[in-house]
Amino acid sequence: MQRLPLPHHLIEAARAFADGHAEPAEPRDAATVVLMRPGAGEPDLYLLRRQTSMAFAGGMCVFPGGGVDPRDDDPAVAWAGPSPTEWAERLGTDEDKARALVCAAVRETFEESGVLLAGPSASTVVEDTSGDDWEADRVALESRELHFSDFLVRRGLVLRTDLLGAWSGWLTPIFEPRRYRTWFFVAAMPQGQVTRHVGTEASSVRWVPAAEAVRRVEAQEIGMLPPTWLTCLEISGFEHPDSVLAAAADRRVEMFMPEVVEDADGHLLSTPPAYVELLREREGS
């Protein structure tokens, strides 16, 4: 894929920051989850197309996710899987933020897809979240009328952090007016649950094979921000969600902020070193 040059207004915005004529916006912590299911030789990925009216990434296809709520950092949450200390090492942050990020990842996935990575015990997962009572709780969580920890306690649920894997970290470029420090997680669809088009921020949702998502972006049939596109490209090289989760077990997230670079194709955003060879292989295929 030939990466498209940056629009002129973004180049000028980047220059203003480089010259010290502008102050960057403070980034907000966020979590997003690459929700996967088995496909035909590669994982299918769950994508939401954001409403075109959204101030950030309007019209773009994204994974479920969103900003961390201050109430996500609650030690009272029943926890199964790697401890907050272990997650802090994987995510490259402190224990309190790691707990909040993992809770935000699970909460946002439920809010935006109806999929809940929690169960009655440390070895089980909720089988069905499609009832009216679940939908009422989901809406209350989305509106922040209900705390995620209270939701889990009231339903007697354990947060299944072992169903998540850490994948990557992206910091919005310095010249963007809205900035996020986003941790990418991966997770497989729990047995028995189904996704639903429930979130208010998405105009449509779809399951798409990872390689097909890459092709659609290249054909300009759908839009994606670079981190989403690169994640789809990387995951298209795996045969099954289980192999993605196995690879995630050894990952340690290093936050990457794209910068403007200039080459023969014009002004582009820089790419994390881990993805450079992947892009070369794609461009040569």
Side-chain angles (χ1 to χ4, degrees), residues 78-211:
W79 192 278
S83 68
T85 301
E86 292 173 286
W87 275 109
E89 182 182 354
R90 292 183 180 188
L91 301 176
T93 186
D94 60 64
E95 184 174 324
D96 290 341
K97 183 174 287 189
R99 182 188 296 107
L101 286 166
V102 170
C103 287
V106 175
R107 174 181 55 74
E108 286 284 346
T109 300
F110 180 56
E111 289 179 13
E112 297 198 336
S113 72
V115 171
L116 183 60
L117 304 176
S121 71
S123 60
T124 59
V125 67
V126 173
E127 294 184 357
D128 182 15
T129 62
S130 61
D132 291 343
D133 58 331
W134 287 102
E135 178 61 12
D137 281 349
R138 190 199 66 77
V139 172
L141 285 167
E142 190 176 39
S143 65
R144 302 297 181 263
E145 295 175 8
L146 177 63
H147 292 203
F148 187 56
S149 57
D150 292 341
F151 162 72
L152 294 175
V153 169
R154 181 160 57 81
R155 286 189 172 269
L157 297 176
V158 178
L159 194 70
R160 290 290 307 277
T161 80
D162 56 318
L163 300 180
L164 285 169
W167 198 250
S168 61
W170 293 83
L171 176 57
T172 310
I174 197 170
F175 53 82
E176 290 282 5
R178 286 179 173 80
R179 303 180 66 217
Y180 296 90
R181 186 183 292 106
T182 305
W183 280 260
F184 279 59
F185 296 82
V186 290
M189 271 292 296
Q191 187 71 31
Q193 292 191 34
V194 295
T195 53
R196 310 193 309 278
H197 184 189
V198 291
T200 58
E201 297 182 355
S203 60
S204 63
V205 300
R206 67 187 82 183
W207 281 100
V208 184

